[in-house]
């Protein structure tokens, strides 16, 4: 088609390319856009006559020199930006220069870099011609952070002069990240800031108008001229964003409610897919609400997401709702409640009106009886789980119906686990309280009383996680005892090592099979509906066992320690210690049963995904994990779910972004991820946490923020982690001590550390931030203190 001139006001869609369309929309919004026009169907055959007429038009209104920029069909679109792929020519100040610029930009549509970038046939080229801005400053603004996927942040990059140096990377810009209120959360600027506070506010206001108009996050270019006028040069969608990280957030129980990642972060570490929230998160919330009902903190089960919240992929505990217990029970203050959850007094937490003494007495008796009488319910767990049959039907509606029945059973099993955990906490808290009082009375400190309690809580027999570890340790030592087998096992890749071991048919193979038959449902993040268990993850199991084999080949050994409770002179303390040990044993047992039921549901949902993929309702079976349970009723139906499936694809992309988010230990209202790390609450070279297992040791730090990081741990190192669950247990045979950001004296890491005689400090809040792999520290499990020593 012949070249022709198109006015911006006549551009109403993307037929002349995304750049032309974006500029036309900006003009309609009333935002300042440099004068110019579009050359439609640009080609290298442009005549000097046409070019002369068009350039004369700009000269007549004092709009030279000009910029000539590509606006090819597909450029600056929803899927691809083509940033820098086509040519642009700036500072065009004559007709001859204008002709060369048009030809150069038109010819760039045939370049090898464009075809390599897009993988498509040659696009139709249009050009945008605009007056050059004599820029004092220029840059870009993103109305969402493309690096983190967060839509509550705005990013501004600014450079003095023309923006070309910013685009081609030859200059370092001022970098600003604004929070949802427009306050700078990150401010990386040179000695003389490029932008003033008012200019930042103007850029933000214009960008927000554009994002609201388009209804999606935008990437906009701007320039400020020598007189201080802000001009908008380009508008396009941000093409690299995943789905909205907040899309599947649960309702906020209250604007002033206090949420925390502590406690629940031990059971549910990291970010989870929506189905996990809809199954495991729902079950935990149900169990906690029903416990509140028993204690008469609420009248009945009300609605989902009252005790638990799901925000940006992460699970949170609603402490405000939990204060109903502290205000309605004898001997349970708000301070004690917050310390038991977060390891510190939470000042943001407001007490509920206290109940009368008689009401507190009745509630305390009801809840204590409910917790302490959990034995029969615990003994029924195995039969409850066995009664659930993992669905095998090819009818997706029937499969989903059976899974819904399984979720109801899962809720009951989770409630039994909460009862068991309450029983464990009651005994542990009373024991700790008694020994703290005794320590203070004897002129010692409360920390020493806590250390006495942790010593007496160690040595519980038949603890599930310890038995599990003993079985795996036996397999590992059998491998290590055979020099040839050990060499082959360590030389292979982790997955191959497990596969070859399982198929060898010898006694070691049989022992491994027995271990997997009993404990193969366990693993890291075992309540996740999507993550594999040990039996399903030979790569992860192999990496863990290889670390253990190397440790077993070391002549020194680490074995569980046993504490003689009868050695205590007080019969009351001896009784409390035995109850605390029994509580820990029951808690670990019910956690394993809860994980087994979760594993059964996981297999069922995986089968549902396979059925739906086979029927063509889903593009692949894994996508089933990115719907909630209500949405799955639509997926198994007959309605058109194209839009819902596309949303699930974006949610899957978002999970990796959500996994990188970090939160403060306590949030008021909707939890917001940290942008910059807060100042660490570290005094000098000391980090103070909560003592969880006695002993003192010096060693080298290994910071492992995930189970994958833990594969690098070396024998004798001090493991520093955000939190540990059963998936980390085998590494306890290798390490010298454990330090965690969150946790309590009855959390998984503390229980197993005591069994293995490892010094352990929990609830430091900041250890993974303050320490680095290679640091040398002293861990004092008696006082709950980590001291940084000279680095090696």
């Amino acid at each position: 088609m012949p070249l022709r001139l198109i006015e911006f006001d006549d551009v109403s869609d993307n037929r002349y390319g995304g750049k032309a369309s974006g500029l036309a929309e900006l003009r309609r919004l009333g935002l300042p856009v440099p004068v110019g026009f579009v050359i439609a169907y640009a080609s290298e055959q442009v005549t000097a006559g046409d070019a002369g007429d068009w350039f004369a038009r700009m000269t007549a209104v004092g709009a030279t020199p000009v910029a000539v920029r590509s606006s090819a069909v597909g450029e600056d679109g929803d899927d691809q930006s083509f940033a820098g792929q086509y040519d642009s020519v700036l500072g065009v100040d004559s007709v001859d220069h204008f002709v060369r610029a048009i030809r150069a930009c038109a010819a760039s549509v045939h370049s090898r870099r464009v075809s390599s970038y897009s993988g498509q046939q040659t696009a139709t080229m249009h050009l945008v011609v605009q007056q050059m801005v004599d820029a004092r400053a220029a840059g870009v603004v993103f109305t969402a952070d493309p690096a983190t996927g967060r839509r509550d942040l705005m990013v501004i990059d600014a450079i003095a002069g023309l923006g070309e140096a910013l685009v081609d990377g030859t200059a370092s810009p001022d970098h600003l990240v604004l929070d949802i209120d427009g306050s700078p959360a990150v401010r990386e600027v040179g000695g003389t800031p490029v932008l003033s506070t008012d200019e930042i506010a103007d850029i933000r206001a214009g960008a927000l108008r554009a994002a609201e108009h388009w209804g999606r996050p935008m990437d906009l270019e701007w320039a400020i001229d020598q007189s201080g006028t802000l001009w908008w040069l380009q508008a396009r969608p941000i093409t690299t964003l995943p789905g909205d990280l907040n899309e599947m957030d649960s309702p906020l129980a209250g604007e002033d409610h206090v949420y925390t990642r502590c406690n629940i972060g031990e059971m549910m570490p990291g970010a989870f897919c929506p189905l996990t929230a809809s199954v495991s998160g729902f079950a935990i919330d149900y169990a906690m609400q029903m416990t509140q009902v028993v204690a008469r903190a609420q009248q009945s089960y009300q609605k989902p997401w009252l005790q638990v919240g799901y925000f940006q992929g992460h699970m949170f505990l609603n402490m405000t709702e939990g204060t109903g217990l502290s205000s309605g029970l004898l001997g349970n203050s708000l301070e004690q409640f917050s310390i038991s959850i977060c390891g510190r007094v939470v000042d943001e937490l407001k007490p509920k009106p206290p109940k009368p003494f008689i009401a507190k007495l009745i509630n305390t008796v009801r809840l204590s009886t409910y917790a302490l009488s959990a034995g029969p319910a615990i003994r029924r767990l195995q039969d409850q789980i066995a009664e659930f049959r993992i669905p095998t039907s090819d009818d997706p509606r029937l499969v989903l119906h059976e899974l819904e029945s399984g979720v109801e059973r899962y809720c009951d099993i989770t409630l039994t686990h909460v009862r068991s955990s309450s029983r464990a906490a009651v005994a542990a808290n009373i024991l700790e309280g008694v020994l703290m009082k005794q320590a203070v009375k004897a002129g010692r400190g409360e920390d020493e009383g806590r250390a006495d309690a942790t010593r007496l809580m160690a040595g519980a027999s038949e603890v599930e996680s310890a038995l599990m570890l003993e079985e795996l340790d036996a397999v590992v030592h059998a491998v290590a005892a055979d020099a040839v087998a050990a060499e082959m096992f360590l030389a292979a890749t982790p997955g191959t090592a497990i596969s070859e071991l399982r198929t060898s048919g010898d006694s070691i193979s049989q022992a491994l099979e027995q271990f997997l038959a009993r404990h193969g449902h366990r693993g890291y993040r075992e309540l996740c509906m999507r993550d594999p268990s040990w039996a399903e993850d030979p790569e992860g199991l192999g990496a863990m066992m290889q670390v253990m084999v190397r440790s077993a080949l070391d002549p020194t050994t680490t074995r569980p320690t046993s504490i003689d409770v009868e050695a205590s002179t007080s019969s009351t303390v001896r009784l409390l210690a035995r109850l605390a040990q029994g509580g820990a044993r029951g808690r670990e047992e019910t956690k394993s049963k809860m994980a087994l039921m979760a594993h059964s549901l996981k297999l069922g949902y995986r089968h549902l995904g396979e059925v739906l993929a086979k029927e063509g309702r889903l593009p692949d079976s894994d996508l089933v994990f990115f719907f909630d349970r209500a949405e799955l009723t639509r997926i198994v139906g007959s309605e058109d779910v194209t839009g819902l499936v596309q949303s699930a694809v974006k949610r899957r992309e978002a999970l990796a972004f959500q996994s990188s988010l970090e939160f403060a230990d306590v949030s008021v209202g909707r939890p917001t991820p940290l942008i910059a790390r807060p100042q660490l609450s570290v005094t000098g070279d000391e980090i103070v946490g909560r003592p969880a297992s006695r002993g003192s040791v010096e060693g080298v730090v290994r910071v492992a923020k995930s189970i994958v990081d833990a594969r690098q741990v070396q024998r004798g190192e001090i493991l520093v982690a955000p939190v540990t669950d059963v998936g980390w247990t085998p590494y306890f045979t290798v390490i010298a001590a454990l330090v965690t950001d969150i946790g309590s004296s009855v959390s998984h890491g503390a229980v197993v550390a005591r069994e293995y005689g490892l010094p352990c400090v929990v609830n430091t809040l900041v250890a993974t931030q303050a320490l680095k792999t290679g640091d040398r520290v002293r861990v004092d499990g008696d006082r709950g203190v980590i001291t940084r020593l000279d680095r090696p």
Side-chain angles (χ1 to χ4, degrees), residues 393-397 608-619 635-638:
S393 170
D394 289 334
D395 182 347
R397 295 178 183 83
L608 176 62
E610 292 168 354
V611 171
L612 290 169
K614 186 177 180 180
E615 289 193 351
R617 297 289 286 176
L618 296 181
I635 297 295
V636 302
S638 57

mmCIF file with all atom_site columns, all heavy atoms in Angstrom, residues 393-397 608-619 635-638:
data_model
loop_
_atom_site.group_PDB
_atom_site.id
_atom_site.type_symbol
_atom_site.label_atom_id
_atom_site.label_alt_id
_atom_site.label_comp_id
_atom_site.label_asym_id
_atom_site.label_entity_id
_atom_site.label_seq_id
_atom_site.pdbx_PDB_ins_code
_atom_site.Cartn_x
_atom_site.Cartn_y
_atom_site.Cartn_z
_atom_site.occupancy
_atom_site.B_iso_or_equiv
_atom_site.pdbx_formal_charge
_atom_site.auth_seq_id
_atom_site.auth_comp_id
_atom_site.auth_asym_id
_atom_site.auth_atom_id
_atom_site.pdbx_PDB_model_num
ATOM 1   N N   . SER A 1 393 ? -11.533 -43.103 38.877 1.00 0.00 ? 393 SER A N   1
ATOM 2   C CA  . SER A 1 393 ? -12.511 -43.020 37.793 1.00 0.00 ? 393 SER A CA  1
ATOM 3   C C   . SER A 1 393 ? -12.024 -42.087 36.688 1.00 0.00 ? 393 SER A C   1
ATOM 4   O O   . SER A 1 393 ? -11.198 -41.194 36.913 1.00 0.00 ? 393 SER A O   1
ATOM 5   C CB  . SER A 1 393 ? -13.850 -42.516 38.335 1.00 0.00 ? 393 SER A CB  1
ATOM 6   O OG  . SER A 1 393 ? -14.752 -42.215 37.287 1.00 0.00 ? 393 SER A OG  1
ATOM 7   N N   . ASP A 1 394 ? -12.548 -42.310 35.472 1.00 0.00 ? 394 ASP A N   1
ATOM 8   C CA  . ASP A 1 394 ? -12.263 -41.414 34.351 1.00 0.00 ? 394 ASP A CA  1
ATOM 9   C C   . ASP A 1 394 ? -13.334 -40.346 34.196 1.00 0.00 ? 394 ASP A C   1
ATOM 10  O O   . ASP A 1 394 ? -13.279 -39.558 33.246 1.00 0.00 ? 394 ASP A O   1
ATOM 11  C CB  . ASP A 1 394 ? -12.162 -42.222 33.047 1.00 0.00 ? 394 ASP A CB  1
ATOM 12  C CG  . ASP A 1 394 ? -10.896 -43.065 33.006 1.00 0.00 ? 394 ASP A CG  1
ATOM 13  O OD1 . ASP A 1 394 ? -9.912  -42.681 33.666 1.00 0.00 ? 394 ASP A OD1 1
ATOM 14  O OD2 . ASP A 1 394 ? -10.897 -44.103 32.320 1.00 0.00 ? 394 ASP A OD2 1
ATOM 15  N N   . ASP A 1 395 ? -14.297 -40.325 35.112 1.00 0.00 ? 395 ASP A N   1
ATOM 16  C CA  . ASP A 1 395 ? -15.351 -39.303 35.104 1.00 0.00 ? 395 ASP A CA  1
ATOM 17  C C   . ASP A 1 395 ? -14.908 -38.168 36.027 1.00 0.00 ? 395 ASP A C   1
ATOM 18  O O   . ASP A 1 395 ? -14.864 -38.352 37.250 1.00 0.00 ? 395 ASP A O   1
ATOM 19  C CB  . ASP A 1 395 ? -16.668 -39.893 35.588 1.00 0.00 ? 395 ASP A CB  1
ATOM 20  C CG  . ASP A 1 395 ? -17.813 -38.878 35.565 1.00 0.00 ? 395 ASP A CG  1
ATOM 21  O OD1 . ASP A 1 395 ? -17.542 -37.666 35.408 1.00 0.00 ? 395 ASP A OD1 1
ATOM 22  O OD2 . ASP A 1 395 ? -18.981 -39.294 35.726 1.00 0.00 ? 395 ASP A OD2 1
ATOM 23  N N   . PRO A 1 396 ? -14.552 -36.995 35.481 1.00 0.00 ? 396 PRO A N   1
ATOM 24  C CA  . PRO A 1 396 ? -14.018 -35.924 36.342 1.00 0.00 ? 396 PRO A CA  1
ATOM 25  C C   . PRO A 1 396 ? -15.011 -35.462 37.402 1.00 0.00 ? 396 PRO A C   1
ATOM 26  O O   . PRO A 1 396 ? -14.598 -35.068 38.497 1.00 0.00 ? 396 PRO A O   1
ATOM 27  C CB  . PRO A 1 396 ? -13.685 -34.812 35.351 1.00 0.00 ? 396 PRO A CB  1
ATOM 28  C CG  . PRO A 1 396 ? -14.486 -35.100 34.134 1.00 0.00 ? 396 PRO A CG  1
ATOM 29  C CD  . PRO A 1 396 ? -14.617 -36.586 34.065 1.00 0.00 ? 396 PRO A CD  1
ATOM 30  N N   . ARG A 1 397 ? -16.301 -35.504 37.109 1.00 0.00 ? 397 ARG A N   1
ATOM 31  C CA  . ARG A 1 397 ? -17.285 -35.092 38.105 1.00 0.00 ? 397 ARG A CA  1
ATOM 32  C C   . ARG A 1 397 ? -17.279 -36.041 39.306 1.00 0.00 ? 397 ARG A C   1
ATOM 33  O O   . ARG A 1 397 ? -17.335 -35.601 40.464 1.00 0.00 ? 397 ARG A O   1
ATOM 34  C CB  . ARG A 1 397 ? -18.687 -35.046 37.473 1.00 0.00 ? 397 ARG A CB  1
ATOM 35  C CG  . ARG A 1 397 ? -18.858 -33.996 36.387 1.00 0.00 ? 397 ARG A CG  1
ATOM 36  C CD  . ARG A 1 397 ? -20.258 -34.066 35.804 1.00 0.00 ? 397 ARG A CD  1
ATOM 37  N NE  . ARG A 1 397 ? -20.450 -33.126 34.708 1.00 0.00 ? 397 ARG A NE  1
ATOM 38  C CZ  . ARG A 1 397 ? -20.088 -33.344 33.456 1.00 0.00 ? 397 ARG A CZ  1
ATOM 39  N NH1 . ARG A 1 397 ? -19.505 -34.501 33.130 1.00 0.00 ? 397 ARG A NH1 1
ATOM 40  N NH2 . ARG A 1 397 ? -20.294 -32.434 32.531 1.00 0.00 ? 397 ARG A NH2 1
ATOM 41  N N   . LEU A 1 608 ? -7.108  -36.266 38.889 1.00 0.00 ? 608 LEU A N   1
ATOM 42  C CA  . LEU A 1 608 ? -8.124  -35.393 38.294 1.00 0.00 ? 608 LEU A CA  1
ATOM 43  C C   . LEU A 1 608 ? -7.504  -34.551 37.185 1.00 0.00 ? 608 LEU A C   1
ATOM 44  O O   . LEU A 1 608 ? -8.102  -34.387 36.107 1.00 0.00 ? 608 LEU A O   1
ATOM 45  C CB  . LEU A 1 608 ? -8.730  -34.484 39.372 1.00 0.00 ? 608 LEU A CB  1
ATOM 46  C CG  . LEU A 1 608 ? -9.754  -33.451 38.873 1.00 0.00 ? 608 LEU A CG  1
ATOM 47  C CD1 . LEU A 1 608 ? -10.967 -34.138 38.243 1.00 0.00 ? 608 LEU A CD1 1
ATOM 48  C CD2 . LEU A 1 608 ? -10.192 -32.539 40.030 1.00 0.00 ? 608 LEU A CD2 1
ATOM 49  N N   . GLY A 1 609 ? -6.305  -34.011 37.418 1.00 0.00 ? 609 GLY A N   1
ATOM 50  C CA  . GLY A 1 609 ? -5.631  -33.227 36.395 1.00 0.00 ? 609 GLY A CA  1
ATOM 51  C C   . GLY A 1 609 ? -5.365  -34.034 35.144 1.00 0.00 ? 609 GLY A C   1
ATOM 52  O O   . GLY A 1 609 ? -5.526  -33.545 34.013 1.00 0.00 ? 609 GLY A O   1
ATOM 53  N N   . GLU A 1 610 ? -4.957  -35.288 35.325 1.00 0.00 ? 610 GLU A N   1
ATOM 54  C CA  . GLU A 1 610 ? -4.692  -36.146 34.167 1.00 0.00 ? 610 GLU A CA  1
ATOM 55  C C   . GLU A 1 610 ? -5.961  -36.417 33.366 1.00 0.00 ? 610 GLU A C   1
ATOM 56  O O   . GLU A 1 610 ? -5.944  -36.412 32.128 1.00 0.00 ? 610 GLU A O   1
ATOM 57  C CB  . GLU A 1 610 ? -4.062  -37.453 34.646 1.00 0.00 ? 610 GLU A CB  1
ATOM 58  C CG  . GLU A 1 610 ? -2.651  -37.265 35.215 1.00 0.00 ? 610 GLU A CG  1
ATOM 59  C CD  . GLU A 1 610 ? -2.149  -38.490 35.959 1.00 0.00 ? 610 GLU A CD  1
ATOM 60  O OE1 . GLU A 1 610 ? -2.950  -39.450 36.122 1.00 0.00 ? 610 GLU A OE1 1
ATOM 61  O OE2 . GLU A 1 610 ? -0.982  -38.489 36.392 1.00 0.00 ? 610 GLU A OE2 1
ATOM 62  N N   . VAL A 1 611 ? -7.070  -36.635 34.084 1.00 0.00 ? 611 VAL A N   1
ATOM 63  C CA  . VAL A 1 611 ? -8.343  -36.883 33.406 1.00 0.00 ? 611 VAL A CA  1
ATOM 64  C C   . VAL A 1 611 ? -8.779  -35.647 32.624 1.00 0.00 ? 611 VAL A C   1
ATOM 65  O O   . VAL A 1 611 ? -9.202  -35.736 31.458 1.00 0.00 ? 611 VAL A O   1
ATOM 66  C CB  . VAL A 1 611 ? -9.429  -37.288 34.426 1.00 0.00 ? 611 VAL A CB  1
ATOM 67  C CG1 . VAL A 1 611 ? -10.807 -37.332 33.764 1.00 0.00 ? 611 VAL A CG1 1
ATOM 68  C CG2 . VAL A 1 611 ? -9.101  -38.650 35.036 1.00 0.00 ? 611 VAL A CG2 1
ATOM 69  N N   . LEU A 1 612 ? -8.656  -34.484 33.243 1.00 0.00 ? 612 LEU A N   1
ATOM 70  C CA  . LEU A 1 612 ? -9.083  -33.236 32.590 1.00 0.00 ? 612 LEU A CA  1
ATOM 71  C C   . LEU A 1 612 ? -8.189  -32.901 31.397 1.00 0.00 ? 612 LEU A C   1
ATOM 72  O O   . LEU A 1 612 ? -8.668  -32.380 30.384 1.00 0.00 ? 612 LEU A O   1
ATOM 73  C CB  . LEU A 1 612 ? -9.075  -32.094 33.605 1.00 0.00 ? 612 LEU A CB  1
ATOM 74  C CG  . LEU A 1 612 ? -10.156 -32.177 34.687 1.00 0.00 ? 612 LEU A CG  1
ATOM 75  C CD1 . LEU A 1 612 ? -9.890  -31.162 35.794 1.00 0.00 ? 612 LEU A CD1 1
ATOM 76  C CD2 . LEU A 1 612 ? -11.543 -31.938 34.090 1.00 0.00 ? 612 LEU A CD2 1
ATOM 77  N N   . ALA A 1 613 ? -6.903  -33.200 31.507 1.00 0.00 ? 613 ALA A N   1
ATOM 78  C CA  . ALA A 1 613 ? -5.999  -32.959 30.372 1.00 0.00 ? 613 ALA A CA  1
ATOM 79  C C   . ALA A 1 613 ? -6.321  -33.914 29.228 1.00 0.00 ? 613 ALA A C   1
ATOM 80  O O   . ALA A 1 613 ? -6.306  -33.518 28.053 1.00 0.00 ? 613 ALA A O   1
ATOM 81  C CB  . ALA A 1 613 ? -4.548  -33.118 30.817 1.00 0.00 ? 613 ALA A CB  1
ATOM 82  N N   . LYS A 1 614 ? -6.638  -35.154 29.566 1.00 0.00 ? 614 LYS A N   1
ATOM 83  C CA  . LYS A 1 614 ? -6.982  -36.139 28.539 1.00 0.00 ? 614 LYS A CA  1
ATOM 84  C C   . LYS A 1 614 ? -8.252  -35.737 27.800 1.00 0.00 ? 614 LYS A C   1
ATOM 85  O O   . LYS A 1 614 ? -8.384  -35.961 26.589 1.00 0.00 ? 614 LYS A O   1
ATOM 86  C CB  . LYS A 1 614 ? -7.149  -37.513 29.190 1.00 0.00 ? 614 LYS A CB  1
ATOM 87  C CG  . LYS A 1 614 ? -7.378  -38.642 28.201 1.00 0.00 ? 614 LYS A CG  1
ATOM 88  C CD  . LYS A 1 614 ? -7.455  -39.981 28.927 1.00 0.00 ? 614 LYS A CD  1
ATOM 89  C CE  . LYS A 1 614 ? -7.680  -41.124 27.953 1.00 0.00 ? 614 LYS A CE  1
ATOM 90  N NZ  . LYS A 1 614 ? -7.757  -42.438 28.674 1.00 0.00 ? 614 LYS A NZ  1
ATOM 91  N N   . GLU A 1 615 ? -9.204  -35.134 28.531 1.00 0.00 ? 615 GLU A N   1
ATOM 92  C CA  . GLU A 1 615 ? -10.460 -34.695 27.920 1.00 0.00 ? 615 GLU A CA  1
ATOM 93  C C   . GLU A 1 615 ? -10.320 -33.366 27.181 1.00 0.00 ? 615 GLU A C   1
ATOM 94  O O   . GLU A 1 615 ? -11.258 -32.922 26.526 1.00 0.00 ? 615 GLU A O   1
ATOM 95  C CB  . GLU A 1 615 ? -11.550 -34.563 28.989 1.00 0.00 ? 615 GLU A CB  1
ATOM 96  C CG  . GLU A 1 615 ? -12.040 -35.890 29.539 1.00 0.00 ? 615 GLU A CG  1
ATOM 97  C CD  . GLU A 1 615 ? -13.316 -35.726 30.351 1.00 0.00 ? 615 GLU A CD  1
ATOM 98  O OE1 . GLU A 1 615 ? -13.713 -34.559 30.614 1.00 0.00 ? 615 GLU A OE1 1
ATOM 99  O OE2 . GLU A 1 615 ? -13.916 -36.745 30.712 1.00 0.00 ? 615 GLU A OE2 1
ATOM 100 N N   . GLY A 1 616 ? -9.162  -32.709 27.316 1.00 0.00 ? 616 GLY A N   1
ATOM 101 C CA  . GLY A 1 616 ? -8.952  -31.437 26.645 1.00 0.00 ? 616 GLY A CA  1
ATOM 102 C C   . GLY A 1 616 ? -9.478  -30.244 27.405 1.00 0.00 ? 616 GLY A C   1
ATOM 103 O O   . GLY A 1 616 ? -9.489  -29.122 26.882 1.00 0.00 ? 616 GLY A O   1
ATOM 104 N N   . ARG A 1 617 ? -9.901  -30.453 28.668 1.00 0.00 ? 617 ARG A N   1
ATOM 105 C CA  . ARG A 1 617 ? -10.384 -29.328 29.473 1.00 0.00 ? 617 ARG A CA  1
ATOM 106 C C   . ARG A 1 617 ? -9.219  -28.501 30.017 1.00 0.00 ? 617 ARG A C   1
ATOM 107 O O   . ARG A 1 617 ? -9.389  -27.325 30.322 1.00 0.00 ? 617 ARG A O   1
ATOM 108 C CB  . ARG A 1 617 ? -11.248 -29.826 30.636 1.00 0.00 ? 617 ARG A CB  1
ATOM 109 C CG  . ARG A 1 617 ? -12.520 -30.536 30.225 1.00 0.00 ? 617 ARG A CG  1
ATOM 110 C CD  . ARG A 1 617 ? -13.532 -29.571 29.657 1.00 0.00 ? 617 ARG A CD  1
ATOM 111 N NE  . ARG A 1 617 ? -14.163 -28.752 30.692 1.00 0.00 ? 617 ARG A NE  1
ATOM 112 C CZ  . ARG A 1 617 ? -15.036 -27.772 30.441 1.00 0.00 ? 617 ARG A CZ  1
ATOM 113 N NH1 . ARG A 1 617 ? -15.338 -27.458 29.190 1.00 0.00 ? 617 ARG A NH1 1
ATOM 114 N NH2 . ARG A 1 617 ? -15.570 -27.082 31.425 1.00 0.00 ? 617 ARG A NH2 1
ATOM 115 N N   . LEU A 1 618 ? -8.059  -29.136 30.147 1.00 0.00 ? 618 LEU A N   1
ATOM 116 C CA  . LEU A 1 618 ? -6.849  -28.438 30.594 1.00 0.00 ? 618 LEU A CA  1
ATOM 117 C C   . LEU A 1 618 ? -5.727  -28.710 29.607 1.00 0.00 ? 618 LEU A C   1
ATOM 118 O O   . LEU A 1 618 ? -5.638  -29.810 29.046 1.00 0.00 ? 618 LEU A O   1
ATOM 119 C CB  . LEU A 1 618 ? -6.427  -28.918 31.989 1.00 0.00 ? 618 LEU A CB  1
ATOM 120 C CG  . LEU A 1 618 ? -7.365  -28.651 33.159 1.00 0.00 ? 618 LEU A CG  1
ATOM 121 C CD1 . LEU A 1 618 ? -6.760  -29.191 34.462 1.00 0.00 ? 618 LEU A CD1 1
ATOM 122 C CD2 . LEU A 1 618 ? -7.670  -27.175 33.302 1.00 0.00 ? 618 LEU A CD2 1
ATOM 123 N N   . PRO A 1 619 ? -4.813  -27.752 29.408 1.00 0.00 ? 619 PRO A N   1
ATOM 124 C CA  . PRO A 1 619 ? -3.690  -27.973 28.493 1.00 0.00 ? 619 PRO A CA  1
ATOM 125 C C   . PRO A 1 619 ? -2.679  -28.980 29.031 1.00 0.00 ? 619 PRO A C   1
ATOM 126 O O   . PRO A 1 619 ? -1.977  -29.637 28.269 1.00 0.00 ? 619 PRO A O   1
ATOM 127 C CB  . PRO A 1 619 ? -3.071  -26.582 28.342 1.00 0.00 ? 619 PRO A CB  1
ATOM 128 C CG  . PRO A 1 619 ? -3.491  -25.844 29.571 1.00 0.00 ? 619 PRO A CG  1
ATOM 129 C CD  . PRO A 1 619 ? -4.843  -26.373 29.919 1.00 0.00 ? 619 PRO A CD  1
ATOM 130 N N   . ILE A 1 635 ? -14.609 -26.356 36.064 1.00 0.00 ? 635 ILE A N   1
ATOM 131 C CA  . ILE A 1 635 ? -13.701 -27.024 35.139 1.00 0.00 ? 635 ILE A CA  1
ATOM 132 C C   . ILE A 1 635 ? -14.223 -28.409 34.760 1.00 0.00 ? 635 ILE A C   1
ATOM 133 O O   . ILE A 1 635 ? -14.099 -28.847 33.614 1.00 0.00 ? 635 ILE A O   1
ATOM 134 C CB  . ILE A 1 635 ? -12.288 -27.128 35.751 1.00 0.00 ? 635 ILE A CB  1
ATOM 135 C CG1 . ILE A 1 635 ? -11.700 -25.720 35.991 1.00 0.00 ? 635 ILE A CG1 1
ATOM 136 C CG2 . ILE A 1 635 ? -11.363 -27.930 34.857 1.00 0.00 ? 635 ILE A CG2 1
ATOM 137 C CD1 . ILE A 1 635 ? -11.454 -24.926 34.741 1.00 0.00 ? 635 ILE A CD1 1
ATOM 138 N N   . VAL A 1 636 ? -14.819 -29.145 35.704 1.00 0.00 ? 636 VAL A N   1
ATOM 139 C CA  . VAL A 1 636 ? -15.304 -30.496 35.400 1.00 0.00 ? 636 VAL A CA  1
ATOM 140 C C   . VAL A 1 636 ? -16.656 -30.464 34.696 1.00 0.00 ? 636 VAL A C   1
ATOM 141 O O   . VAL A 1 636 ? -17.149 -31.508 34.264 1.00 0.00 ? 636 VAL A O   1
ATOM 142 C CB  . VAL A 1 636 ? -15.413 -31.361 36.678 1.00 0.00 ? 636 VAL A CB  1
ATOM 143 C CG1 . VAL A 1 636 ? -14.075 -31.462 37.377 1.00 0.00 ? 636 VAL A CG1 1
ATOM 144 C CG2 . VAL A 1 636 ? -16.482 -30.822 37.628 1.00 0.00 ? 636 VAL A CG2 1
ATOM 145 N N   . GLY A 1 637 ? -17.269 -29.271 34.585 1.00 0.00 ? 637 GLY A N   1
ATOM 146 C CA  . GLY A 1 637 ? -18.547 -29.140 33.911 1.00 0.00 ? 637 GLY A CA  1
ATOM 147 C C   . GLY A 1 637 ? -18.386 -29.028 32.410 1.00 0.00 ? 637 GLY A C   1
ATOM 148 O O   . GLY A 1 637 ? -17.365 -29.415 31.834 1.00 0.00 ? 637 GLY A O   1
ATOM 149 N N   . SER A 1 638 ? -19.414 -28.440 31.788 1.00 0.00 ? 638 SER A N   1
ATOM 150 C CA  . SER A 1 638 ? -19.408 -28.364 30.324 1.00 0.00 ? 638 SER A CA  1
ATOM 151 C C   . SER A 1 638 ? -19.319 -26.936 29.798 1.00 0.00 ? 638 SER A C   1
ATOM 152 O O   . SER A 1 638 ? -19.270 -26.724 28.591 1.00 0.00 ? 638 SER A O   1
ATOM 153 C CB  . SER A 1 638 ? -20.680 -29.019 29.770 1.00 0.00 ? 638 SER A CB  1
ATOM 154 O OG  . SER A 1 638 ? -21.843 -28.398 30.321 1.00 0.00 ? 638 SER A OG  1
#
